């Protein structure tokens, strides 16, 4: 057998290469989107008619607060179209505040088809729910309950029948749900935001002092729920 010996320099070089390779593998898995990711819609700004300027300020404030607490996980703000006013506001404000675009970004798409249609892996999605935690009612709530099938309704009801404004409920999605199989979603977090729509229950009648407090609480509960899953 031939004995092979390396000089100290060669050994150092080999070790440097090893470190480089490790770095490349890490980058590759990060770019494949393996990082735990929460996709969330704008809470309360559509059917619940909450002011978009105020809501976007609160979203940015809460994202900045939580980015420090979620390690390598990511937060993604989602809406259906590029014409979305709230999406534009959030995007502009995030860029002004120099928020790390690898950890927080906006994305246009249907939150129930982020992987199959958009190639974006999100293991957790948030729902702008109603207080009865019921399917239907339009908006993102109807879309999520319909895409997730009966499994989500059953799993939700096992945990709670109602939700208070400003609170969130983490639901683990059964693996027989199409959202789990097709999209890789393992958890749905229901969030109930403040309501400014007189046609809906618990209307705050333009009381934005209370409304902003509830919206802050809602995003805090949502992001804390995500932290509890990631941990
Ligand atoms: N994918 C991504 N974003 C969506 C989708 C979707 N499939 N559908 C709607 N959005 P809303 P709210 C966006 O009205 O104001 C429900 O009926 C939408 O463009 O769903 O909190 C519930 O049952 C908007 O930016 O929620 C409640 O009663 C955002 O999602 C009530 O509406 C939230 O719009 C809650 O009202």
């Amino acid at each position: 057998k031939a004995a092979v010996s390396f000089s100290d320099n060669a050994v150092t070089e080999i070790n440097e290469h090893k470190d480089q390779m490790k770095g490349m593998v890490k980058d590759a898995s990060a770019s494949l989107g393996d990082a735990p990711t929460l996709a969330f819609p704008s809470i309360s700004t559509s059917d619940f008619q909450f002011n978009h300027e105020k809501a976007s300020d609160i979203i940015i404030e809460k994202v900045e607060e939580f980015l420090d607490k979620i390690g390598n996980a990511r937060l993604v703000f989602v809406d259906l179209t590029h014409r979305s006013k709230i999406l534009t506001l959030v995007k502009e404000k995030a860029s002004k505040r120099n928020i790390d675009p690898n950890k927080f970004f906006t994305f246009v798409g249907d939150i129930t088809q982020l992987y199959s249609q958009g190639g974006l892996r999100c293991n957790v999605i948030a729902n702008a729910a109603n207080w009865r935690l019921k399917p239907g009612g339009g908006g993102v709530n109807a879309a999520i309950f319909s895409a997730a099938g009966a499994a989500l309704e059953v799993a939700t009801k096992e945990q709670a029948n109602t939700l208070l404004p400003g609170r969130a409920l983490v639901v683990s999605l059964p693996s027989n749900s199409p959202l789990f199989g097709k999209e890789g979603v393992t958890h749905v977090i229901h969030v109930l935001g403040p309501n400014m729509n007189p046609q809906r229950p618990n209307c705050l009648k333009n009381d934005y002092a209370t409304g902003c407090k509830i919206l802050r609480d809602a995003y805090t509960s949502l992001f804390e729920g995500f932290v509890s899953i990631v941990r």
Side-chain angles (χ1 to χ4, degrees):
K1 264 187 188 171
V4 181
S5 71
F6 295 106
S7 69
D8 284 354
N9 274 353
V11 171
T12 311
E13 220 173 289
I14 289 167
N15 284 336
E16 273 170 10
H17 276 298
K18 265 199 210 155
D19 286 345
Q20 247 176 18
M21 295 289 284
K22 272 188 211 153
M24 280 162 74
V25 171
K26 216 166 119 197
D27 288 351
S29 63
S31 66
L32 285 173
D34 283 347
T37 305
L38 166 71
F40 65 100
S42 177
I43 307 298
S44 290
T45 55
S46 185
D47 191 47
F48 279 178
Q49 301 177 3
F50 199 93
N51 177 280
H52 287 209
E53 276 296 341
K54 291 183 184 16
S56 56
D57 282 340
I58 290 170
I59 291 165
I60 294 298
E61 174 194 320
K62 288 291 156 188
V63 163
E64 284 187 311
E65 184 183 326
F66 274 86
L67 276 189
D68 292 338
K69 301 181 187 172
I70 59 169
N72 72 332
R74 307 180 301 181
L75 303 175
V76 183
F77 181 80
V78 180
D79 207 346
L80 286 168
T81 143
H82 284 285
R83 292 184 301 279
S84 158
K85 188 177 146 202
I86 188 76
L87 184 113
T88 307
L89 284 169
V90 167
K91 201 173 171 175
E92 282 170 3
K93 289 178 185 180
S95 141
K96 255 193 209 140
R97 304 275 311 171
N98 279 323
I99 297 181
D100 181 351
N102 293 312
K103 295 194 76 182
F104 173 69
F105 52 92
T106 61
F107 194 84
V108 172
D110 182 336
I111 203 162
T112 66
Q113 303 190 315
L114 291 174
Y115 182 59
S116 59
Q117 298 295 309
L120 180 70
R121 281 186 190 277
C122 299
N123 59 321
V124 185
I125 64 172
N127 176 30
N130 53 60
W131 75 277
R132 285 183 199 276
L133 293 165
K134 285 247 184 191
V140 74
N141 182 74
I144 290 177
F145 271 102
S146 149
L152 177 61
E153 209 183 329
V154 173
T156 300
K157 286 283 121 97
E158 272 169 13
Q159 291 200 46
N161 285 311
T162 57
L163 197 57
L164 288 170
R167 303 296 286 270
L169 178 73
V170 177
V171 177
S172 174
L173 200 57
S175 57
N176 64 349
S177 165
L179 256 193
F180 188 111
K182 282 194 219 152
E183 307 295 330
V185 174
T186 61
H187 295 79
V188 173
I189 306 181
H190 298 295
V191 189
L192 183 62
N195 170 36
M196 294 296 178
N197 178 351
Q199 319 278 17
R200 299 283 177 264
N202 296 314
C203 175
L204 291 171
K205 297 182 187 142
N206 256 22
D207 172 3
Y208 271 97
T210 307
C212 286
K213 190 190 169 301
I214 294 175
L215 193 61
R216 279 197 187 89
D217 289 348
Y219 281 106
T220 300
S221 310
L222 166 62
F223 295 154
E224 276 174 355
F226 180 54
V227 168
S228 76
I229 296 166
V230 169
R231 213 183 267 143

